[in-house]
Amino acid sequence: MYFPAYRARRMRRNETIRSMVRETHLRVEDFIYPMFSAFGKNIRKEIISMPGIFQQSIEHIVEEAKEVHALGIPAVILFGIPETKDPVGQDAYSETGIIQETIRAIKQAVPELTVITDVCLCEYTDHGHCGVIVDGDVDNDSTLALLAAEALSHARAGADIIAPSDMMDGRIDVIRELLDANGFENIPIMSYAVKYASAYYGPFRDAADSTPQFGDRRSYQMDPANRREAIREATLDVQECADFLMVKPALSYLDILRDLRENFDLPLVAYNVSGEYSMVKAAAEKGWIDGERVMLETLLSMKRAGADLIITYHAKEAAQALAKG
Ligand code: PBG
Ligand code: ZN
């Protein structure tokens, strides 16, 4: 053994040395901030299970978008709460849908802020599932055309990156094809490639009013027990020309992030989901943990696992914490 000649503690003696040998860094450029855009005027309603996160109408979204940009955060990802929901989620691909109007408003007010849009139907369907229902289950192939239409309408409204979260088979391919056929060959696709059927999405479903009205999402989202299947899912999306790969949730799936980092060279995104955020907030509120330190340690763990980017509700507070050093 090396001891006592070798002593690991030598490299931890003071903050200067520690910072010189630090392997992983959090940067404000790593963060993507999620926002919930609600139909109507003068709406700013805090989500009870997500302190600090709001359902907001467009004028408030635009104000927050300016704040996000001023903090140096490069991008937001948008979710919509439409005026009306129906069985096929028409607001999702309407030219005047809630997200299309929100994209235009943000791009006009803060053109430098990158706007990513979540492409899925669950926020727009009255049954709350991510696709069209046929014989009691989500029908893959008839859902594809609607997702592609949604992606195209987001691109037409000015979205910078399209992020499909539905977990239908073959969707990256049909979205890429329709975007290209309409002159949007330069719009990247950020695929929610590996998305598990997770209980950690609970608070998000309050925020987006998207809880399934019957059954659950286990016939399309992945089984949390499966690791090899994550490689297979990601491989398919790479073959279909995805530009970014995402793993969701993040904290309980750091092994999956590491697997994807080692198997693919595409930029890798971790989604630090609603339940992960709520747990930190709740424990901090009770005084049981130091909320800021736990937040930074959690985000750092996602980068250490291999993520390049992190979608997180903590983005603004993390940016502020990093700025104060
Ligand atoms: C829509 C979607 C969900 C999330 C992102 N996009 C919810 C779901 O699949 O039920 C979850 C995000 C979060 O929990 O923060 N498909
Ligand atoms: Zn969905």
Side-chain angles (χ1 to χ4, degrees), residues 79 118 120 122-123 130 165 192 195 200-201 204-205 217 221 248 271 273-274 313:
F79 300 93
D118 184 83
C120 201
C122 54
E123 298 132 65
C130 301
S165 69
Y192 286 70
K195 180 176 179 183
Y200 283 95
Y201 306 151
F204 173 95
R205 292 180 189 170
R217 302 209 203 291
Q221 297 180 348
K248 179 179 168 204
Y271 199 140
V273 301
S274 57
Y313 304 97

PDB file of all heavy atoms in Angstrom, residues 79 118 120 122-123 130 165 192 195 200-201 204-205 217 221 248 271 273-274 313, ligand 1:
ATOM      1  N   PHE A  79     -44.324  24.351 -21.771  1.00  0.00           N
ATOM      2  CA  PHE A  79     -45.474  23.447 -21.665  1.00  0.00           C
ATOM      3  C   PHE A  79     -46.733  24.298 -21.704  1.00  0.00           C
ATOM      4  O   PHE A  79     -46.736  25.409 -21.166  1.00  0.00           O
ATOM      5  CB  PHE A  79     -45.408  22.647 -20.362  1.00  0.00           C
ATOM      6  CG  PHE A  79     -44.173  21.798 -20.254  1.00  0.00           C
ATOM      7  CD1 PHE A  79     -43.029  22.276 -19.627  1.00  0.00           C
ATOM      8  CD2 PHE A  79     -44.141  20.528 -20.817  1.00  0.00           C
ATOM      9  CE1 PHE A  79     -41.872  21.505 -19.557  1.00  0.00           C
ATOM     10  CE2 PHE A  79     -42.995  19.743 -20.754  1.00  0.00           C
ATOM     11  CZ  PHE A  79     -41.862  20.237 -20.115  1.00  0.00           C
ATOM     12  N   ASP A 118     -41.916  21.374 -25.741  1.00  0.00           N
ATOM     13  CA  ASP A 118     -42.266  19.983 -25.462  1.00  0.00           C
ATOM     14  C   ASP A 118     -43.337  19.582 -26.477  1.00  0.00           C
ATOM     15  O   ASP A 118     -44.359  20.251 -26.605  1.00  0.00           O
ATOM     16  CB  ASP A 118     -42.821  19.887 -24.037  1.00  0.00           C
ATOM     17  CG  ASP A 118     -43.126  18.463 -23.609  1.00  0.00           C
ATOM     18  OD1 ASP A 118     -42.193  17.763 -23.175  1.00  0.00           O
ATOM     19  OD2 ASP A 118     -44.295  18.044 -23.709  1.00  0.00           O
ATOM     20  N   CYS A 120     -45.948  16.874 -27.227  1.00  0.00           N
ATOM     21  CA  CYS A 120     -46.714  15.754 -26.702  1.00  0.00           C
ATOM     22  C   CYS A 120     -48.179  16.148 -26.730  1.00  0.00           C
ATOM     23  O   CYS A 120     -48.502  17.317 -26.872  1.00  0.00           O
ATOM     24  CB  CYS A 120     -46.279  15.417 -25.275  1.00  0.00           C
ATOM     25  SG  CYS A 120     -46.739  13.723 -24.821  1.00  0.00           S
ATOM     26  N   CYS A 122     -50.479  15.026 -24.192  1.00  0.00           N
ATOM     27  CA  CYS A 122     -51.166  14.850 -22.901  1.00  0.00           C
ATOM     28  C   CYS A 122     -51.671  16.149 -22.282  1.00  0.00           C
ATOM     29  O   CYS A 122     -52.648  16.137 -21.541  1.00  0.00           O
ATOM     30  CB  CYS A 122     -50.280  14.097 -21.913  1.00  0.00           C
ATOM     31  SG  CYS A 122     -48.658  14.823 -21.686  1.00  0.00           S
ATOM     32  N   GLU A 123     -51.019  17.269 -22.592  1.00  0.00           N
ATOM     33  CA  GLU A 123     -51.516  18.530 -22.035  1.00  0.00           C
ATOM     34  C   GLU A 123     -52.771  19.021 -22.772  1.00  0.00           C
ATOM     35  O   GLU A 123     -53.450  19.920 -22.300  1.00  0.00           O
ATOM     36  CB  GLU A 123     -50.428  19.615 -22.131  1.00  0.00           C
ATOM     37  CG  GLU A 123     -49.160  19.302 -21.347  1.00  0.00           C
ATOM     38  CD  GLU A 123     -47.899  19.533 -22.184  1.00  0.00           C
ATOM     39  OE1 GLU A 123     -47.624  20.682 -22.559  1.00  0.00           O
ATOM     40  OE2 GLU A 123     -47.207  18.536 -22.485  1.00  0.00           O
ATOM     41  N   CYS A 130     -50.876  10.609 -23.855  1.00  0.00           N
ATOM     42  CA  CYS A 130     -49.931  11.265 -24.750  1.00  0.00           C
ATOM     43  C   CYS A 130     -50.221  11.009 -26.233  1.00  0.00           C
ATOM     44  O   CYS A 130     -49.435  11.394 -27.094  1.00  0.00           O
ATOM     45  CB  CYS A 130     -48.504  10.830 -24.410  1.00  0.00           C
ATOM     46  SG  CYS A 130     -48.049  11.212 -22.707  1.00  0.00           S
ATOM     47  N   SER A 165     -41.782  14.271 -26.257  1.00  0.00           N
ATOM     48  CA  SER A 165     -41.737  13.572 -24.965  1.00  0.00           C
ATOM     49  C   SER A 165     -42.754  12.432 -24.875  1.00  0.00           C
ATOM     50  O   SER A 165     -42.976  11.875 -23.804  1.00  0.00           O
ATOM     51  CB  SER A 165     -42.010  14.555 -23.822  1.00  0.00           C
ATOM     52  OG  SER A 165     -43.345  14.998 -23.848  1.00  0.00           O
ATOM     53  N   TYR A 192     -36.689  13.064 -25.959  1.00  0.00           N
ATOM     54  CA  TYR A 192     -36.848  12.400 -24.676  1.00  0.00           C
ATOM     55  C   TYR A 192     -36.709  10.910 -25.025  1.00  0.00           C
ATOM     56  O   TYR A 192     -37.679  10.174 -25.118  1.00  0.00           O
ATOM     57  CB  TYR A 192     -38.236  12.605 -24.100  1.00  0.00           C
ATOM     58  CG  TYR A 192     -38.608  13.954 -23.519  1.00  0.00           C
ATOM     59  CD1 TYR A 192     -38.781  15.080 -24.329  1.00  0.00           C
ATOM     60  CD2 TYR A 192     -38.864  14.094 -22.149  1.00  0.00           C
ATOM     61  CE1 TYR A 192     -39.192  16.293 -23.777  1.00  0.00           C
ATOM     62  CE2 TYR A 192     -39.285  15.301 -21.606  1.00  0.00           C
ATOM     63  CZ  TYR A 192     -39.444  16.400 -22.426  1.00  0.00           C
ATOM     64  OH  TYR A 192     -39.866  17.581 -21.879  1.00  0.00           O
ATOM     65  N   LYS A 195     -37.385   7.675 -21.387  1.00  0.00           N
ATOM     66  CA  LYS A 195     -38.318   8.271 -20.433  1.00  0.00           C
ATOM     67  C   LYS A 195     -39.067   7.157 -19.715  1.00  0.00           C
ATOM     68  O   LYS A 195     -39.746   6.349 -20.348  1.00  0.00           O
ATOM     69  CB  LYS A 195     -39.289   9.176 -21.179  1.00  0.00           C
ATOM     70  CG  LYS A 195     -40.311   9.837 -20.278  1.00  0.00           C
ATOM     71  CD  LYS A 195     -41.181  10.805 -21.063  1.00  0.00           C
ATOM     72  CE  LYS A 195     -42.218  11.434 -20.166  1.00  0.00           C
ATOM     73  NZ  LYS A 195     -43.107  12.324 -20.930  1.00  0.00           N
ATOM     74  N   TYR A 200     -42.265  10.192 -10.065  1.00  0.00           N
ATOM     75  CA  TYR A 200     -41.664  11.505  -9.845  1.00  0.00           C
ATOM     76  C   TYR A 200     -42.312  12.610 -10.692  1.00  0.00           C
ATOM     77  O   TYR A 200     -41.944  13.771 -10.567  1.00  0.00           O
ATOM     78  CB  TYR A 200     -40.167  11.463 -10.151  1.00  0.00           C
ATOM     79  CG  TYR A 200     -39.324  10.817  -9.077  1.00  0.00           C
ATOM     80  CD1 TYR A 200     -38.967   9.477  -9.151  1.00  0.00           C
ATOM     81  CD2 TYR A 200     -38.864  11.559  -7.985  1.00  0.00           C
ATOM     82  CE1 TYR A 200     -38.182   8.883  -8.180  1.00  0.00           C
ATOM     83  CE2 TYR A 200     -38.068  10.981  -7.009  1.00  0.00           C
ATOM     84  CZ  TYR A 200     -37.731   9.639  -7.114  1.00  0.00           C
ATOM     85  OH  TYR A 200     -36.943   9.057  -6.144  1.00  0.00           O
ATOM     86  N   TYR A 201     -43.201  12.254 -11.618  1.00  0.00           N
ATOM     87  CA  TYR A 201     -43.863  13.279 -12.443  1.00  0.00           C
ATOM     88  C   TYR A 201     -45.102  13.855 -11.766  1.00  0.00           C
ATOM     89  O   TYR A 201     -45.769  14.715 -12.344  1.00  0.00           O
ATOM     90  CB  TYR A 201     -44.302  12.719 -13.808  1.00  0.00           C
ATOM     91  CG  TYR A 201     -43.227  12.040 -14.621  1.00  0.00           C
ATOM     92  CD1 TYR A 201     -43.553  11.018 -15.505  1.00  0.00           C
ATOM     93  CD2 TYR A 201     -41.891  12.427 -14.521  1.00  0.00           C
ATOM     94  CE1 TYR A 201     -42.579  10.382 -16.267  1.00  0.00           C
ATOM     95  CE2 TYR A 201     -40.908  11.789 -15.271  1.00  0.00           C
ATOM     96  CZ  TYR A 201     -41.260  10.762 -16.135  1.00  0.00           C
ATOM     97  OH  TYR A 201     -40.305  10.130 -16.886  1.00  0.00           O
ATOM     98  N   PHE A 204     -45.700  17.685 -11.658  1.00  0.00           N
ATOM     99  CA  PHE A 204     -45.837  18.226 -13.028  1.00  0.00           C
ATOM    100  C   PHE A 204     -47.260  18.067 -13.526  1.00  0.00           C
ATOM    101  O   PHE A 204     -47.810  18.952 -14.183  1.00  0.00           O
ATOM    102  CB  PHE A 204     -44.889  17.492 -13.984  1.00  0.00           C
ATOM    103  CG  PHE A 204     -45.071  17.857 -15.445  1.00  0.00           C
ATOM    104  CD1 PHE A 204     -44.287  18.835 -16.031  1.00  0.00           C
ATOM    105  CD2 PHE A 204     -46.022  17.210 -16.236  1.00  0.00           C
ATOM    106  CE1 PHE A 204     -44.448  19.165 -17.377  1.00  0.00           C
ATOM    107  CE2 PHE A 204     -46.192  17.535 -17.571  1.00  0.00           C
ATOM    108  CZ  PHE A 204     -45.402  18.519 -18.142  1.00  0.00           C
ATOM    109  N   ARG A 205     -47.864  16.934 -13.204  1.00  0.00           N
ATOM    110  CA  ARG A 205     -49.213  16.702 -13.726  1.00  0.00           C
ATOM    111  C   ARG A 205     -50.220  17.653 -13.081  1.00  0.00           C
ATOM    112  O   ARG A 205     -51.216  18.009 -13.712  1.00  0.00           O
ATOM    113  CB  ARG A 205     -49.585  15.231 -13.569  1.00  0.00           C
ATOM    114  CG  ARG A 205     -48.720  14.382 -14.509  1.00  0.00           C
ATOM    115  CD  ARG A 205     -49.009  12.904 -14.434  1.00  0.00           C
ATOM    116  NE  ARG A 205     -48.003  12.158 -15.193  1.00  0.00           N
ATOM    117  CZ  ARG A 205     -47.865  10.849 -15.170  1.00  0.00           C
ATOM    118  NH1 ARG A 205     -48.684  10.115 -14.431  1.00  0.00           N
ATOM    119  NH2 ARG A 205     -46.923  10.261 -15.892  1.00  0.00           N
ATOM    120  N   ARG A 217     -49.352   5.391 -17.842  1.00  0.00           N
ATOM    121  CA  ARG A 217     -48.564   5.535 -19.066  1.00  0.00           C
ATOM    122  C   ARG A 217     -47.623   4.348 -19.315  1.00  0.00           C
ATOM    123  O   ARG A 217     -46.682   4.439 -20.078  1.00  0.00           O
ATOM    124  CB  ARG A 217     -47.737   6.820 -19.000  1.00  0.00           C
ATOM    125  CG  ARG A 217     -48.546   8.092 -18.816  1.00  0.00           C
ATOM    126  CD  ARG A 217     -47.830   9.285 -19.436  1.00  0.00           C
ATOM    127  NE  ARG A 217     -48.211  10.574 -18.894  1.00  0.00           N
ATOM    128  CZ  ARG A 217     -49.385  11.161 -19.066  1.00  0.00           C
ATOM    129  NH1 ARG A 217     -50.335  10.568 -19.747  1.00  0.00           N
ATOM    130  NH2 ARG A 217     -49.615  12.355 -18.550  1.00  0.00           N
ATOM    131  N   GLN A 221     -44.408   4.559 -21.743  1.00  0.00           N
ATOM    132  CA  GLN A 221     -43.165   4.953 -21.073  1.00  0.00           C
ATOM    133  C   GLN A 221     -42.461   3.709 -20.527  1.00  0.00           C
ATOM    134  O   GLN A 221     -43.078   2.681 -20.308  1.00  0.00           O
ATOM    135  CB  GLN A 221     -43.473   5.941 -19.940  1.00  0.00           C
ATOM    136  CG  GLN A 221     -44.098   7.241 -20.468  1.00  0.00           C
ATOM    137  CD  GLN A 221     -44.426   8.241 -19.372  1.00  0.00           C
ATOM    138  OE1 GLN A 221     -44.397   7.911 -18.186  1.00  0.00           O
ATOM    139  NE2 GLN A 221     -44.761   9.454 -19.767  1.00  0.00           N
ATOM    140  N   LYS A 248     -34.862  10.784 -18.478  1.00  0.00           N
ATOM    141  CA  LYS A 248     -35.867  11.382 -17.597  1.00  0.00           C
ATOM    142  C   LYS A 248     -36.592  10.295 -16.820  1.00  0.00           C
ATOM    143  O   LYS A 248     -37.038   9.338 -17.447  1.00  0.00           O
ATOM    144  CB  LYS A 248     -36.852  12.148 -18.466  1.00  0.00           C
ATOM    145  CG  LYS A 248     -37.968  12.804 -17.704  1.00  0.00           C
ATOM    146  CD  LYS A 248     -38.856  13.528 -18.645  1.00  0.00           C
ATOM    147  CE  LYS A 248     -40.091  13.905 -17.869  1.00  0.00           C
ATOM    148  NZ  LYS A 248     -41.215  14.094 -18.712  1.00  0.00           N
ATOM    149  N   TYR A 271     -33.238  15.391 -17.313  1.00  0.00           N
ATOM    150  CA  TYR A 271     -34.422  16.129 -16.860  1.00  0.00           C
ATOM    151  C   TYR A 271     -34.590  15.909 -15.360  1.00  0.00           C
ATOM    152  O   TYR A 271     -35.013  14.857 -14.924  1.00  0.00           O
ATOM    153  CB  TYR A 271     -35.677  15.698 -17.628  1.00  0.00           C
ATOM    154  CG  TYR A 271     -36.826  16.697 -17.550  1.00  0.00           C
ATOM    155  CD1 TYR A 271     -37.614  16.963 -18.663  1.00  0.00           C
ATOM    156  CD2 TYR A 271     -37.126  17.378 -16.370  1.00  0.00           C
ATOM    157  CE1 TYR A 271     -38.670  17.881 -18.606  1.00  0.00           C
ATOM    158  CE2 TYR A 271     -38.162  18.294 -16.303  1.00  0.00           C
ATOM    159  CZ  TYR A 271     -38.937  18.544 -17.417  1.00  0.00           C
ATOM    160  OH  TYR A 271     -39.977  19.440 -17.339  1.00  0.00           O
ATOM    161  N   VAL A 273     -36.680  16.232 -12.750  1.00  0.00           N
ATOM    162  CA  VAL A 273     -38.141  16.387 -12.871  1.00  0.00           C
ATOM    163  C   VAL A 273     -38.812  16.993 -11.626  1.00  0.00           C
ATOM    164  O   VAL A 273     -38.180  17.160 -10.577  1.00  0.00           O
ATOM    165  CB  VAL A 273     -38.834  15.055 -13.243  1.00  0.00           C
ATOM    166  CG1 VAL A 273     -38.296  14.517 -14.556  1.00  0.00           C
ATOM    167  CG2 VAL A 273     -38.705  14.039 -12.112  1.00  0.00           C
ATOM    168  N   SER A 274     -40.108  17.222 -11.790  1.00  0.00           N
ATOM    169  CA  SER A 274     -40.889  17.932 -10.768  1.00  0.00           C
ATOM    170  C   SER A 274     -40.789  17.307  -9.384  1.00  0.00           C
ATOM    171  O   SER A 274     -40.575  18.008  -8.394  1.00  0.00           O
ATOM    172  CB  SER A 274     -42.345  18.016 -11.217  1.00  0.00           C
ATOM    173  OG  SER A 274     -42.873  16.721 -11.470  1.00  0.00           O
ATOM    174  N   TYR A 313     -36.191  22.985 -12.716  1.00  0.00           N
ATOM    175  CA  TYR A 313     -36.993  24.059 -12.116  1.00  0.00           C
ATOM    176  C   TYR A 313     -36.132  24.916 -11.193  1.00  0.00           C
ATOM    177  O   TYR A 313     -36.529  25.997 -10.794  1.00  0.00           O
ATOM    178  CB  TYR A 313     -38.184  23.442 -11.357  1.00  0.00           C
ATOM    179  CG  TYR A 313     -39.021  22.562 -12.266  1.00  0.00           C
ATOM    180  CD1 TYR A 313     -38.846  21.177 -12.301  1.00  0.00           C
ATOM    181  CD2 TYR A 313     -39.940  23.128 -13.144  1.00  0.00           C
ATOM    182  CE1 TYR A 313     -39.572  20.371 -13.171  1.00  0.00           C
ATOM    183  CE2 TYR A 313     -40.669  22.337 -14.025  1.00  0.00           C
ATOM    184  CZ  TYR A 313     -40.478  20.963 -14.031  1.00  0.00           C
ATOM    185  OH  TYR A 313     -41.187  20.181 -14.900  1.00  0.00           O
TER     186      TYR A 313
HETATM  187  C1  PBG B   1     -45.384  15.114 -21.053  1.00  0.00           C
HETATM  188  C2  PBG B   1     -44.329  15.391 -20.044  1.00  0.00           C
HETATM  189  C3  PBG B   1     -44.298  15.005 -18.692  1.00  0.00           C
HETATM  190  C4  PBG B   1     -43.144  15.591 -18.151  1.00  0.00           C
HETATM  191  C5  PBG B   1     -42.511  16.281 -19.191  1.00  0.00           C
HETATM  192  N1  PBG B   1     -43.256  16.121 -20.349  1.00  0.00           N
HETATM  193  C6  PBG B   1     -45.248  14.256 -17.846  1.00  0.00           C
HETATM  194  C7  PBG B   1     -45.599  12.867 -18.104  1.00  0.00           C
HETATM  195  O1  PBG B   1     -45.037  12.180 -18.963  1.00  0.00           O
HETATM  196  O2  PBG B   1     -46.532  12.459 -17.423  1.00  0.00           O
HETATM  197  C8  PBG B   1     -42.710  15.483 -16.724  1.00  0.00           C
HETATM  198  C9  PBG B   1     -41.860  16.591 -16.220  1.00  0.00           C
HETATM  199  C10 PBG B   1     -41.708  16.680 -14.752  1.00  0.00           C
HETATM  200  O3  PBG B   1     -42.172  15.847 -13.953  1.00  0.00           O
HETATM  201  O4  PBG B   1     -41.076  17.669 -14.336  1.00  0.00           O
HETATM  202  N2  PBG B   1     -45.329  13.872 -21.649  1.00  0.00           N
END
